[in-house]
Amino acid sequence: NGFYRVTLRNEIGYANKPMKEAKFIAIPDNPPQVVLERPGSDLTLSQPIKVPLVIAAYDDFGLDELILSIQRGDAGGFEGKTIKTYTQTTRTDTVISAIDLAAMDLKPGDHIRYRVEARDKKKQSKTTQEYVIRIQDVANAEDKLLANLDKTQDTFQEKLAKLIADQAKVKETVHK
């Protein structure tokens, strides 16, 4: 907080009549915030597939870019790739991206670590926590659980369709 006053001088150096002080309030530029909404946890998959990512980012004055960093295994460092650059002032955004594990030629027993970084126009940054995706052929791998869930859902949908058809027959009989 503070006060300011503007003084203008002509070519001879004489100042204008003093103006009334005006008040200013400085607002801090905070670092951006970033959250990996999905998958949002470590994953174990039976085979390398494309893993969709849903990223939410926010900055009080405007985002500059989102960077996905991946480390293969435990050796070496993270390699970052810009997944979105903001040319216009954007304070809040939800971005959908993916990690293509098949293109990385991962084999059973391999794993990657990944994280997302958001940078603002002032080059301040914030990073999500690191997540791990493992390739292991186990019964409780998330892709197998999802496939089983889809099969169960199909059975429920068939049963629901049959119940609706039976209800229509009962309704027709009652109407007669």
Side-chain angles (χ1 to χ4, degrees):
N1 296 6
F3 294 93
Y4 70 94
R5 185 181 356 213
V6 177
T7 303
L8 302 175
R9 297 188 182 275
N10 64 15
E11 55 274 348
I12 303 173
Y14 289 109
N16 63 311
K17 185 177 175 183
M19 70 175 265
K20 183 178 177 184
E21 290 181 332
K23 186 175 183 172
F24 73 87
I25 299 174
I27 300 171
D29 184 3
N30 294 314
Q33 300 296 314
V34 62
V35 176
L36 186 61
E37 292 182 342
R38 290 202 178 115
S41 64
D42 293 347
L43 293 176
T44 301
L45 302 171
S46 63
Q47 58 186 336
I49 58 172
K50 275 191 177 182
V51 177
L53 305 175
V54 179
I55 304 157
Y58 165 81
D59 186 66
D60 49 359
F61 285 97
L63 295 163
D64 186 38
E65 63 183 339
L66 293 177
I67 301 162
L68 173 63
S69 297
I70 298 175
Q71 176 186 14
R72 190 176 177 128
D74 292 323
F78 280 86
E79 292 183 24
K81 179 180 101 175
T82 300
I83 53 176
K84 186 156 186 185
T85 302
Y86 299 91
T87 54
Q88 296 183 349
T89 301
T90 304
R91 289 182 168 184
T92 303
D93 195 14
T94 300
V95 176
I96 298 174
S97 186
I99 299 176
D100 191 354
L101 300 174
M104 297 174 74
D105 197 31
L106 294 178
K107 307 283 186 245
D110 290 345
H111 70 277
I112 65 163
R113 297 180 183 283
Y114 67 100
R115 63 186 180 211
V116 178
E117 178 184 0
R119 289 190 186 151
D120 66 8
K121 302 288 183 188
K122 193 177 172 185
K123 300 303 179 202
Q124 299 178 98
S125 67
K126 193 67 129 191
T127 306
T128 64
Q129 71 182 61
E130 290 179 13
Y131 294 98
V132 178
I133 300 176
R134 298 183 194 305
I135 307 298
Q136 293 180 333
D137 195 11
V138 292
N140 64 342
E142 276 83 357
D143 53 344
K144 286 185 177 181
L145 295 175
L146 184 60
N148 290 339
L149 178 65
D150 284 345
K151 289 177 186 174
T152 338
Q153 292 258 337
D154 290 342
T155 308
F156 286 133
Q157 288 176 345
E158 291 168 6
K159 288 180 181 178
L160 180 61
K162 186 178 181 309
L163 283 172
I164 291 172
D166 291 346
Q167 182 184 16
K169 289 179 186 175
V170 168
K171 189 175 181 181
E172 184 179 317
T173 306
V174 169
H175 184 67
K176 288 180 182 178

